[in-house]
Amino acid sequence: MTKLNASGNEPRDGAVLSKPEIQCLTLVAEGKRPLDICNLLVLSEIQVEDLLQSAQQKLGARNRMHAVSLAMLAGAIRHESHSKPE
């Protein structure tokens, strides 16, 4: 993998994840469905699907969950646990 650029996104052939792509991937990582993401970001379902597909292509991911994993490994998105430690 290539190094992260200054914005913290993982470039693939010069491509950088946009803020909406990062938002969508973050919400997928939280278990949200595309319809949930539409409502949260006030976007159409087609827009959300396009953003997720674009992020997947930029990251070179095989599927949506692979894109989330790659974005997490690259530091573009972070998983923050909302559960309290035991």
Side-chain angles (χ1 to χ4, degrees), residues 1-5 9-17 54-61 70:
M1 291 190 147
T2 58
K3 294 192 180 230
L4 297 176
N5 66 14
N9 298 333
E10 171 87 11
R12 181 172 173 92
D13 297 320
V16 177
L17 293 176
S54 175
Q56 185 176 322
Q57 288 176 338
K58 287 179 182 181
L59 292 168
L70 291 173

Side-chain angles (χ1 to χ4, degrees), residues 19-33:
K19 183 177 177 180
E21 289 168 340
I22 292 170
Q23 289 174 317
C24 287
L25 286 174
T26 300
L27 291 168
V28 168
E30 293 174 4
K32 304 289 189 230
R33 296 172 295 155

